[in-house]
Amino acid sequence: MTGQSEPEGPENEETLLPEALRNLLIVDDDQRFCDRLARAMERRGFAVQTAYNVADGLALARRLAPRYAVVDLRLDDGSGLEVVQALREARDDARVIVLTGYGNIATAVAAVKAGATDYLPKPADADQVEAALLERGEALPPPPCNPMSADRVRWEHIQRVYEQCDRNVSETARRLRMHRRTLQRILAKYAPRN
């Protein structure tokens, strides 16, 4: 995919770069999310390529050596950290953002050690991704206007693990270290509101 539209958002030196210097690789196994983010980033002036697995992400990282990348930490065929390392080897100044539904200190440290520039929890929107990609200072970004509630974050995490366990309640309960009946009650409820 390539974007031809004018960049949106705040102007800085990065938004004024030619499109050839705003090439972006997005690697995520959630194809709908990946394609939606790709379209949004194209509207912001990025030339976007997408991959849905580690193998394709590695091939594109080595062939294109993009300046920017957004990589999901957990992919169906392996770890997104492999792609992060390949991106860093292909281009020293690459800005790599790791997205994950597994927001914890250990994975953040692993992502940064592998060469990631920043770390965002899923679901991240295009504005957050663009801000992280173009951020050059050391200051922390402002807090989100409408952050997810703690109940919603918990529910999202449980749903993700449930899907990764092929919707097997017993296996999900074992991995989450919770009683099977408790998990069944949680899964029967609707998502909490933010």
Side-chain angles (χ1 to χ4, degrees):
M1 294 186 209
T2 56
Q4 300 296 328
S5 58
E6 291 297 314
E8 298 175 0
E11 290 201 351
N12 62 32
E13 63 184 59
E14 292 294 328
T15 59
L16 301 176
L17 287 173
E19 187 174 287
L21 297 179
R22 286 177 57 92
N23 52 348
L24 169 65
L25 173 62
I26 301 174
V27 184
D28 198 308
D29 55 2
D30 181 345
Q31 292 186 18
R32 286 184 10 211
F33 171 79
C34 188
D35 293 342
R36 192 170 51 245
L37 180 59
R39 286 190 300 273
M41 298 311 288
E42 284 176 340
R43 286 191 298 272
R44 288 163 169 77
F46 288 87
V48 181
Q49 293 289 324
T50 58
Y52 306 123
N53 55 52
V54 172
D56 292 345
L58 289 171
L60 286 171
R62 292 177 180 134
R63 190 181 56 160
L64 300 175
R67 181 177 177 101
Y68 302 101
V70 177
V71 181
D72 189 11
L73 183 62
R74 294 186 192 244
L75 300 164
D76 286 339
D77 63 337
S79 173
L81 294 181
E82 294 177 53
V83 179
V84 172
Q85 291 168 337
L87 287 159
R88 187 59 61 208
E89 291 166 8
R91 186 172 184 151
D92 286 343
D93 66 341
R95 293 203 38 97
V96 182
I97 307 303
V98 170
L99 292 180
T100 184
Y102 298 86
N104 66 43
I105 303 277
T107 52
V109 170
V112 171
K113 282 184 177 178
T117 308
D118 205 346
Y119 178 90
L120 294 174
K122 275 185 162 180
D125 64 28
D127 291 333
Q128 292 170 310
V129 171
E130 182 184 31
L133 287 172
L134 301 180
E135 176 62 41
R136 289 291 177 207
E138 296 298 318
L140 291 173
C145 295
N146 297 314
M148 284 195 295
S149 68
D151 289 337
R152 178 63 187 224
V153 171
R154 178 178 181 257
W155 188 87
E156 293 279 345
H157 176 68
I158 289 170
Q159 291 295 321
R160 173 115 182 194
V161 175
Y162 181 56
E163 291 298 325
Q164 289 178 327
C165 291
D166 295 324
R167 302 175 69 83
N168 181 317
V169 174
S170 296
E171 178 64 15
T172 304
R174 185 184 69 74
R175 289 180 184 242
L176 292 172
R177 296 180 191 98
M178 68 172 41
H179 196 278
R180 187 175 186 275
R181 284 190 215 145
T182 302
L183 177 61
Q184 286 175 315
R185 282 193 295 272
I186 292 169
L187 293 172
K189 294 179 182 177
Y190 290 109
R193 293 185 179 170
N194 282 337

